[in-house]
Amino acid sequence: MIQRLFTILLFLIFNTQLSIYQNSALHFDADNNKVSVSHNPVYNIGNEFTIEAWINAEAWRSEAWQGSIVAKDQQGPDAGFAFRAGKSGTLIFVMSVNNTWNEIQSSPKMNRRQWHHVAAVVNNGEMKLFIDGEQAARGTYSGMPSH
């Protein structure tokens, strides 16, 4: 009897916690909303990483470089990376390598007011962009990412 009550109690607690966090997300209204995280070396990139996001834009910025999804590009004039979307549904990834910016950019493929799964993949000298599981751009680089 006590074990059954304990199981029911755990079930109720678990379901209550799920309902609190269910359907939660950040909503940005295109007026310079953002989440900022303080600089920490743990966020430095290497030669192998993936950045993924689900995005749903009500409107696109006029240029691709204006719509940051994830960026760490303010540590110096030529250091960091940025994963962005804008300009009629264009996806862009830029990364500093040996203090020189390397960029790949898709053609305009994403619709407004529609969910898209986007990813930037960096793997030992190769950069790729994916939109909804399909490769949208590819590029290469030589050297080490600059922090």
Side-chain angles (χ1 to χ4, degrees), residues 48-61:
E48 296 180 18
F49 64 91
T50 299
I51 301 171
E52 296 179 73
W54 282 95
I55 61 172
N56 184 337
E58 301 238 348
W60 298 114
R61 301 276 184 167

Side-chain angles (χ1 to χ4, degrees), residues 28-80:
F28 299 103
D29 62 7
D31 282 336
N32 292 324
N33 298 132
K34 63 183 174 183
V35 174
S36 295
V37 178
S38 299
H39 172 68
N40 188 320
V42 75
Y43 303 125
N44 290 344
I45 57 173
N47 266 331
E48 296 180 18
F49 64 91
T50 299
I51 301 171
E52 296 179 73
W54 282 95
I55 61 172
N56 184 337
E58 301 238 348
W60 298 114
R61 301 276 184 167
S62 60
E63 296 297 331
W65 58 266
Q66 294 173 321
S68 291
I69 300 168
V70 176
K72 185 179 183 235
D73 58 348
Q74 297 181 11
Q75 298 307 309
D78 294 314

Side-chain angles (χ1 to χ4, degrees), residues 45 49 51 65 68 70-84 92-105 122 127 139-147:
I45 57 173
F49 64 91
I51 301 171
W65 58 266
S68 291
V70 176
K72 185 179 183 235
D73 58 348
Q74 297 181 11
Q75 298 307 309
D78 294 314
F81 66 91
F83 186 36
R84 299 175 169 141
I92 186 172
F93 179 75
V94 60
M95 176 175 70
S96 179
V97 178
N98 299 330
N99 300 313
T100 301
W101 291 103
N102 291 260
E103 176 182 303
I104 54 175
Q105 184 171 325
V122 173
M127 302 183 299
T140 59
Y141 68 92
S142 179
M144 288 298 297
S146 307
H147 302 218

